[in-house]
Amino acid sequence: QGLKPLVPTESPAPIFGTSKLASDLPATDSFLGINKVPDLQKIFQRSDGLPVHLKRGVPDKMLYRTTMALTIGGTIYCLVALYIASQPKNQ
């Protein structure tokens, strides 16, 4: 029997998003849409004293506060559960 290799010996055929060659596509067809990178670079490189995870305004603040609330709530819940579990049982 012996050991069998973990990886296949033949590589699978590549899968592409389109059957057309890039040279066959018109220049106006864009699969990626508009380039948002320069706009985002302006936002994130601005020196306004905010940490990078809060630079995009209200959605970032809501996500941050929700995460902090769940973290603190989960910690309190675990501590209470440990306290209750450590109490001796009366029979």
Side-chain angles (χ1 to χ4, degrees):
Q1 295 270 341
L3 297 174
K4 296 180 182 178
L6 295 176
V7 293
T9 55
E10 296 180 17
S11 60
I15 300 172
F16 297 102
T18 181
S19 60
K20 296 181 181 180
L21 295 174
S23 60
D24 294 340
L25 293 174
T28 58
D29 283 352
S30 175
F31 292 108
L32 301 177
I34 60 171
N35 188 5
K36 297 179 183 177
V37 172
D39 297 330
L40 292 175
Q41 283 177 339
K42 289 177 189 173
I43 292 172
F44 288 115
Q45 291 178 354
R46 191 175 357 167
S47 61
D48 52 5
L50 288 174
V52 71
H53 59 275
L54 296 176
K55 290 250 184 194
R56 292 183 70 184
V58 175
D60 284 348
K61 289 179 185 175
M62 293 296 292
L63 183 61
Y64 177 75
R65 289 176 182 165
T66 302
T67 303
M68 286 298 110
L70 288 171
T71 303
I72 293 169
T75 302
I76 292 171
Y77 175 79
C78 287
L79 291 174
V80 168
L82 285 172
Y83 175 76
I84 291 172
S86 68
Q87 297 302 312
K89 297 184 180 190
N90 296 330
Q91 291 185 4

